[in-house]
Amino acid sequence: GLVQKQQGHFSDAAKSLRQAMELEPTDAATAISLSHVLLQLRDPSGAELILRNTLEKGGDKALLLAELGAQQLQAGENQEALKTLVEARKHNRDDPQVLGNLGMAYAMTGSLPSAIGIFEELIKAAPEMADAHAQLGAMQAQNGQPAAAVQSLRKAVDIAPDNIGSHMNLAYALLQ
């Protein structure tokens, strides 16, 4: 039925993107698109291989490493994601996506102080990013910093008042 039809469309897209990669083997945008399609086709190793091959051929390191790290983090490969995202950051220090994912990788590997530091840097780079304030506040609460957590979560609520999660985390922080 519908699932088979979607799989067919993704397979067709993968074929077209592979052909494009043959013409432009260093094109980061095409490699990233192909990796997303391969993830939809439940081929995470193929997605990683495309990104790594494009890196080896001289593709845009900032984009490709950021994407590879994000995919590793999403797959629960936290140690690998941390290594990749540290390298990605060398190529684009203030990229909000890289900083956010790097902060999460530090948190997922048990380094809460490093995660807090990265989210503080992210907020300097993108001060109106409500999710960054919310993540920082949640991590500060976990790290035994309730006053700082309240301040960060209030900022998250100010920026995005419709975010219920931030309201709940703020209420929890106020109870500590």
Side-chain angles (χ1 to χ4, degrees):
L2 183 59
V3 171
Q4 290 171 329
K5 191 173 183 178
Q6 284 180 326
Q7 293 293 82
H9 289 304
F10 284 123
S11 294
D12 291 346
K15 183 178 179 182
S16 295
L17 288 165
R18 284 185 195 280
Q19 291 170 345
M21 288 300 302
E22 289 175 15
L23 297 173
E24 293 286 340
T26 62
D27 184 61
T30 303
I32 291 168
S33 294
L34 178 54
S35 76
H36 285 213
V37 169
L38 291 172
L39 289 173
Q40 289 296 318
L41 290 169
R42 292 176 174 41
D43 183 7
S45 59
E48 181 174 346
L49 186 62
I50 289 296
L51 296 174
R52 289 193 184 280
N53 285 345
T54 307
L55 274 166
E56 286 177 19
K57 293 174 183 172
D60 185 322
K61 286 185 178 182
L63 289 175
L64 292 164
L65 288 169
E67 180 62 30
L68 180 58
Q71 288 184 15
Q72 290 168 329
L73 191 62
Q74 190 170 16
E77 300 168 3
N78 300 326
Q79 284 298 132
E80 281 301 307
L82 181 59
K83 291 177 197 170
T84 302
L85 291 163
V86 165
E87 184 64 26
R89 186 165 185 229
K90 292 177 186 175
H91 299 280
N92 194 348
R93 284 200 68 76
D94 295 328
D95 181 294
Q97 178 189 357
V98 171
L99 289 172
N101 285 333
L102 180 57
M104 293 307 296
Y106 274 122
M108 299 302 284
T109 56
S111 184
L112 217 43
S114 295
I116 288 169
I118 293 294
F119 274 99
E120 288 171 343
E121 289 182 46
L122 173 54
I123 288 167
K124 287 178 187 164
E128 294 304 311
M129 194 171 175
D131 287 346
H133 290 278
Q135 288 291 344
L136 176 60
M139 289 178 191
Q140 288 166 324
Q142 286 179 352
N143 202 42
Q145 301 169 279
V150 167
Q151 183 179 356
S152 296
L153 291 164
R154 279 192 173 135
K155 183 67 176 175
V157 167
D158 288 345
I159 296 169
D162 294 338
N163 186 324
I164 302 300
S166 293
H167 285 280
M168 292 178 67
N169 286 336
L170 176 58
Y172 175 75
L174 287 166
L175 292 173
Q176 287 188 335

